[in-house]
Amino acid sequence: PIAFSIQLENVTSTMIRYSWKPQGGTRDSPYRVRLWGGSREIQRSLNETSTAFENLLSDHEYQISVDVSTCSKNISTSLTVRTAAEVFNGTTRIINEVFIPEYENKSSRAFKEFETKFIEEVFCLGILNQ
């Protein structure tokens, strides 16, 4: 019988691309690939050994699978994959805090305390604005 395992080729915040390499045996039908997560499910029949699913949700867990018939048996493998989280890059001007030289050293106690306070305040604002 044929055997194979899934190899992740690329995972971004909105796409999962993967391939598989069949070893031994012959297949009796096209490969059936599936992606599902939450209420979404996509199925495809393919003759090639790679595929990509696009327009996915960022930071979301999906199951991907490949199965094929060989010698009148169904052979299947699957994998759980999480898409990458989107990253926001930006700058913030803080006007209600006096700058001290220790803030320039990210290892300093003053910087770490300021960073913790800043994250907590931004997180609380995010929760309040939902």
Side-chain angles (χ1 to χ4, degrees):
I2 196 169
F4 52 88
S5 61
I6 293 174
Q7 296 290 64
L8 290 175
E9 302 289 332
N10 192 12
V11 178
T12 68
S13 60
T14 59
M15 185 263 305
I16 298 172
R17 180 182 304 129
Y18 63 101
S19 64
W20 55 97
K21 185 181 243 181
Q23 296 178 334
T26 56
R27 61 187 172 94
D28 302 332
S29 65
Y31 296 102
R32 188 173 70 124
V33 296
R34 289 179 41 202
L35 172 134
W36 68 99
S39 61
R40 184 172 187 179
E41 182 173 348
I42 304 169
Q43 292 188 38
R44 298 180 184 151
S45 288
L46 302 171
N47 285 314
E48 57 268 13
T49 58
S50 67
T51 193
F53 292 100
E54 299 178 310
N55 301 314
L56 304 176
L57 298 173
S58 68
D59 194 29
H60 194 79
E61 194 170 90
Y62 291 95
Q63 286 284 119
I64 57 174
S65 71
V66 179
D67 63 86
V68 68
S69 292
T70 178
C71 301
S72 301
K73 291 183 180 178
N74 191 44
I75 307 297
S76 181
T77 187
S78 65
L79 188 64
T80 301
V81 182
R82 179 174 288 278
T83 50
E86 291 185 78
V87 176
F88 173 76
N89 289 317
T91 58
T92 302
R93 184 170 182 196
I94 300 165
I95 57 174
N96 64 343
E97 183 81 26
V98 176
F99 181 83
I100 57 175
E102 288 87 353
Y103 290 164
E104 290 183 14
N105 178 358
K106 291 184 178 185
S107 299
S108 74
R109 182 177 177 163
F111 177 84
K112 290 181 179 191
E113 288 172 356
F114 173 77
E115 180 182 43
T116 299
K117 179 181 168 190
F118 178 80
I119 290 169
E120 287 173 357
E121 289 181 10
V122 168
F123 181 72
C124 287
L125 281 174
I127 289 174
L128 293 174
N129 289 328
Q130 284 185 355

